[in-house]
Amino acid sequence: AQRVTQPEKLLSVFKGAPVELKCNYSYSGSPELFWYVQYSRQRLQLLLRHISRESIKGFTADLNKGETSFHLKKPFAQEEDSAMYYCALMDSSYKLIFGSGTRLLVRP
Amino acid sequence: GAGVSQSPSNKVTEKGKDVELRCDPISGHTALYWYRQSLGQGLEFLIYFQGNSAPDKSGLPSDRFSAERTGGSVSTLTIQRTQQEDSAVYLCASSPRTSGSYNEQFFGPGTRLTVL
């Protein structure tokens, strides 16, 4: 079955600390994975996708097929990073299968 | 330019009533998706349109839910005989997707549905 798991509902860190938001997936094929972010009172938006291998707002995510993981990382968290983060898998019909989300709270 | 818009932004209804939720995609986007965001369930796929046809309706939770798209543009999600468990934020997304490739999905602000 296709599934995305985000084990942490809430992750709280201090400003300047490293951040890692965990994501594991189950998919019987070559996965295409994404991180979406929803800031307070804003709409859901794409943060990054694994296939582009880019860094957005200091965030990176590496696909590890052996561990079926796609963890989101940032070396130094900023207060403006506080938001809801969703990991998502695209299936063969191009729809997104989302994890349950992790709320990141960056404290001053 | 204008993004995906949805109306109404909030809808409160009584159990048993029918509701219609509207999505206006970005002009020229051929693919349109409906998702539902509810407490404890996260974001769930409901239905996907390519043009006016719906090749994937697998996420519709019951036959009380239906959706249509006309003119390759506006889409309406209809929920008949609403139940309290239908309370959620309904999100619409569109993408310029052409077959064989992925394009980013752009999300609307959502419609918050509350069934009393």
Side-chain angles (χ1 to χ4, degrees):
Chain A
Q2 300 163 77
R3 177 177 290 180
V4 177
T5 303
Q6 294 179 253
E8 304 139 329
K9 286 189 176 180
L10 172 67
L11 184 62
S12 180
V13 301
F14 287 104
K15 176 183 172 181
V19 169
E20 182 179 67
L21 289 84
K22 291 184 167 47
C23 173
N24 288 88
Y25 67 90
S26 172
Y27 186 66
S28 58
S30 187
E32 195 161 346
L33 288 149
F34 306 83
W35 277 97
Y36 277 79
V37 61
Q38 189 167 27
Y39 300 102
S40 179
R41 286 184 288 278
Q42 293 188 28
R43 59 186 68 189
L44 194 65
Q45 59 187 281
L46 178 66
L47 180 62
L48 54 80
R49 53 188 294 218
H50 92 271
I51 208 166
S52 58
R53 301 184 64 83
E54 56 192 346
S55 173
I56 304 292
K57 299 184 179 183
F59 284 98
T60 58
D62 290 320
L63 176 61
N64 185 322
K65 290 187 178 181
E67 296 183 357
T68 59
S69 69
F70 187 56
H71 304 327
L72 183 68
K73 300 177 184 179
K74 185 169 182 176
F76 307 103
Q78 303 300 313
E79 288 180 70
E80 56 265 30
D81 296 329
S82 295
M84 194 76 181
Y85 290 80
Y86 293 95
C87 183
L89 170 72
M90 186 180 72
D91 78 356
S92 55
S93 66
Y94 301 97
K95 68 177 182 278
L96 293 168
I97 299 166
F98 287 92
S100 54
T102 297
R103 181 167 298 283
L104 175 63
L105 177 62
V106 182
R107 301 185 177 191
Chain B
V4 178
S5 61
Q6 293 185 244
S7 60
S9 55
N10 278 286
K11 176 72 178 177
V12 180
T13 190
E14 294 179 348
K15 178 181 170 182
K17 301 279 190 184
D18 298 351
V19 295
E20 282 189 354
L21 313 179
R22 178 188 168 107
C23 171
D24 282 88
I26 293 172
S27 177
H29 281 194
T30 59
L32 187 149
Y33 305 79
W34 283 98
Y35 296 89
R36 180 169 71 172
Q37 187 175 29
S38 50
L39 279 174
Q41 298 293 326
L43 275 155
E44 307 169 276
F45 166 79
L46 296 177
I47 186 169
Y48 149 59
F49 287 92
Q50 180 61 30
N52 291 335
S53 63
D56 191 342
K57 307 179 184 180
S58 62
L60 294 178
S62 75
D63 59 8
R64 296 185 297 104
F65 287 72
S66 63
E68 65 175 12
R69 190 179 185 196
T70 54
S73 181
V74 172
S75 176
T76 303
L77 177 69
T78 301
I79 309 173
Q80 297 179 307
R81 304 181 303 281
T82 52
Q83 304 294 311
Q84 288 182 331
E85 61 263 28
D86 300 335
S87 295
V89 176
Y90 289 81
L91 294 175
C92 175
S94 71
S95 86
R97 190 178 80 76
T98 54
S99 62
S101 65
Y102 171 79
N103 299 106
E104 180 180 344
Q105 293 185 24
F106 295 85
F107 281 81
T111 293
R112 181 175 296 279
L113 174 67
T114 303
V115 182
L116 301 176

